[in-house]
Amino acid sequence: MDFVDSDRSRSYRGASAAAVKPDPARSSPPAVRPGEDSRPNVISAKIVVGGGFGAGKTTFVGTVSEIAPLTTEAVLTDASTSVDDLVATPDKSTTTVAMDFGRLSLDAELILYLFGTPGQHRFWFMWDDLVRGAIGAVVLVDTRRLADCFAAVDFFEDRGLPYVVGVNCFDGVLSHSVEDVREALAIGPAVPIVPCDARERESTKSTLIALVEHAMRKSVATPA
Amino acid sequence: MTAVSKPSDDDHDESFAGLVNGLSGGPWRSGGRRKRSAPSSATPQPVAADQLAPAQEQTSAAVGTFEWSQPAAAASVVRPYTWTGGRTAPVIDLAVETLVSTSEHGHDMAALTSEEHRAVAELCRGPRSVAEVAALLSLPLGVVRVLLADMADIGLVVVHRSANGSSNTPDIALMERVLSGLRRL
Ligand SMILES: Nc1nc2c(ncn2[C@@H]2O[C@H](COP(=O)(O)OP(=O)(O)O)[C@@H](O)[C@H]2O)c(=O)[nH]1
Ligand SMILES: [Mg+2]
């Protein structure tokens, strides 16, 4: 099948048309809410990209994304600030946290979103929102600053989210062996550690493939 | 973004842990990899409304309530969403990756009574995630969540079904589909 851009809008139109003439085969499953059949068929999946500041998260997202990475802002605010105030004066008594993400159409009805985690430690509680429903996470590691990714690894392990470690080769060579990295990060043998150049499309692609394969193995091993 | 020097990392985590726990009820603690204690829970707990006020008092404005992290239910209890005409947001679970599209009704210009609704309806002619709507309209995520939930409530946009069904973890069929999609790239 060809998956070109226009397929997406076409499939959306197709889904609207299906709403007018529902397919009887789709109306049989239980627990289908009223109106469920009228929903467009395009669905999304999510993968999170974590790691320390400068580890290559934004680069990674940009390399695979079909759109220029977008940045969305989340707002930290105090209770007395209404949403009006936020819209009118976004800078007033608020701190915004930027988070970049990219988008990848995997088939005519499936869009994968990649979300780079906001780097600052004090914003990590936002990650709950990000990891909910995610297939898994890629933790990017800069071998010159291994410790920078500790907390990301801790977080994903604590949440039971499947993750792989992508070791960036900043000096062009892998300066630590995979087993050195595993030892330094104190992660188990089941977690894949792969070399990853966030600037290379093939490299980011195979890192993502390694993650999804790992997530599938984990899901088979421990059914929900 | 300020570079946090390594020795102070743990301090940051430590001082923030109270806030993290106060807001999310989450068990997460940080520190060196080897100091990590066994995970006590794999699932984040929802924010209880009564936990929010004390947490806010303890903290400065800069690190107060983080509206994006709150489930819609908690947010509607706590937040004065005057922006939506005093109505509280309906409880729709809008994840950052949740897709929305303009409904047939939303294509009717007469149905679009505000600038925001028109902007969203225009943008979502093809499926867009909540995060995309926020980024492309330069609005904070929390604001967009209320806006979209509101528009879904009055039938201007359709919220696409979640790939994960009722569970919070993607099923194997979805992962297979993602995998073959990635391999085709
Ligand atoms: N050599 C090398 N440089 C990289 C790699 N990934 C990112 N960079 C560079 O490292 C810098 C920081 O990357 P960035 O993506 O902004 O890191 P972030 O803070 O994690 O988002 C940029 O100048 C990138 O060009 C990589 O895999 N190899
Ligand atoms: Mg970045």
Side-chain angles (χ1 to χ4, degrees):
Chain A
M1 275 193 275
D2 280 351
F3 300 116
V4 292
D5 250 30
S6 61
D7 275 357
R8 279 207 306 284
S9 51
R10 206 184 310 137
S11 72
Y12 168 64
R13 299 278 169 234
S16 300
V20 180
K21 199 170 59 119
D23 176 355
R26 290 196 63 224
S27 59
S28 50
V32 169
R33 279 172 285 168
E36 185 92 351
D37 281 348
S38 66
R39 294 188 183 203
N41 290 325
V42 185
I43 57 171
S44 59
K46 174 172 65 177
I47 287 175
V48 172
V49 182
F53 180 68
K57 300 181 295 293
T58 303
T59 307
F60 187 101
V61 168
T63 299
V64 273
S65 180
E66 70 198 9
I67 55 169
L70 292 169
T71 301
T72 187
E73 297 212 320
V75 178
L76 297 152
T77 179
D78 66 282
S80 62
T81 311
S82 73
V83 175
D84 288 292
D85 299 335
L86 294 182
V87 175
T89 52
D91 295 336
K92 202 178 178 187
S93 65
T94 63
T95 301
T96 59
V97 184
M99 174 183 71
D100 20 67
F101 64 96
R103 157 177 170 147
L104 197 51
S105 297
L106 292 182
D107 65 43
E109 295 186 337
L110 176 61
I111 303 171
L112 175 66
Y113 286 95
L114 295 169
F115 283 87
T117 52
Q120 284 150 303
H121 286 194
R122 62 199 198 92
F123 300 133
W124 283 358
F125 64 99
M126 292 160 37
W127 290 17
D128 271 339
D129 198 38
L130 269 189
V131 303
R132 192 164 49 101
I135 289 175
V138 172
V139 177
L140 292 178
V141 173
D142 175 351
T143 49
R144 298 166 303 182
R145 292 170 297 172
L146 274 177
D148 288 7
C149 77
F150 283 179
V153 168
D154 277 346
F155 185 88
F156 298 137
E157 286 207 352
D158 186 65
R159 292 297 185 272
L161 190 74
Y163 69 96
V164 298
V165 174
V167 182
N168 258 330
C169 316
F170 275 93
D171 343 70
V173 289
L174 204 55
S175 53
H176 291 56
S177 81
V178 160
E179 288 319 307
D180 286 348
V181 172
R182 190 183 303 282
E183 165 76 19
L185 300 185
I187 58 179
V191 176
I193 300 180
V194 295
C196 171
D197 189 326
R199 301 161 303 176
E200 296 288 329
R201 188 170 162 86
E202 281 308 309
S203 181
T204 54
K205 195 181 125 179
S206 50
T207 303
L208 290 173
I209 288 171
L211 169 65
V212 179
E213 286 172 341
H214 176 58
M216 288 172 71
R217 278 193 300 273
K218 237 192 130 189
S219 150
V220 170
T222 53
Chain B
M1 211 179 290
T2 53
V4 179
S5 67
K6 262 172 239 166
S8 68
D9 277 5
D10 286 356
D11 295 339
H12 266 253
D13 291 338
E14 226 82 68
S15 63
F16 206 59
L19 177 61
V20 171
N21 292 332
L23 282 174
S24 71
W28 181 59
R29 287 173 300 278
S30 189
R33 284 285 300 144
R34 293 189 181 83
K35 283 187 289 176
R36 189 170 49 85
S37 53
S40 50
S41 164
T43 38
Q45 291 153 23
V47 180
D50 55 3
Q51 283 181 305
L52 289 171
Q56 282 152 7
E57 279 159 21
Q58 288 160 14
T59 57
S60 70
V63 290
T65 303
F66 177 62
E67 51 160 65
W68 168 35
S69 68
Q70 295 166 31
S76 66
V77 174
V78 177
R79 296 229 138 248
Y81 277 127
T82 53
W83 199 56
T84 60
R87 266 174 302 154
T88 52
V91 183
I92 297 182
D93 190 21
L94 293 175
V96 283
E97 75 280 13
T98 298
L99 295 174
V100 295
S101 328
T102 307
S103 67
E104 265 169 49
H105 181 47
H107 280 91
D108 174 8
M109 284 308 285
L112 303 168
T113 52
S114 76
E115 197 62 49
E116 291 83 5
H117 287 187
R118 277 191 290 275
V120 171
E122 176 68 28
L123 195 59
C124 298
R125 286 169 183 273
R128 297 277 192 190
S129 63
V130 171
E132 277 176 284
V133 174
L136 294 168
L137 295 183
S138 301
L139 287 171
L141 268 169
V143 172
V144 164
R145 279 183 159 147
V146 175
L147 176 60
L148 290 175
D150 205 32
M151 288 181 74
D153 195 39
I154 55 180
L156 296 175
V157 297
V158 183
V159 177
H160 293 220
R161 70 196 164 86
S162 158
N164 299 337
S166 53
S167 120
N168 257 345
T169 20
D171 66 14
I172 200 91
L174 176 71
M175 291 193 274
E176 258 159 19
R177 212 168 134 188
V178 169
L179 187 59
S180 47
L182 286 169
R183 285 187 173 135
R184 272 195 308 265
L185 284 180

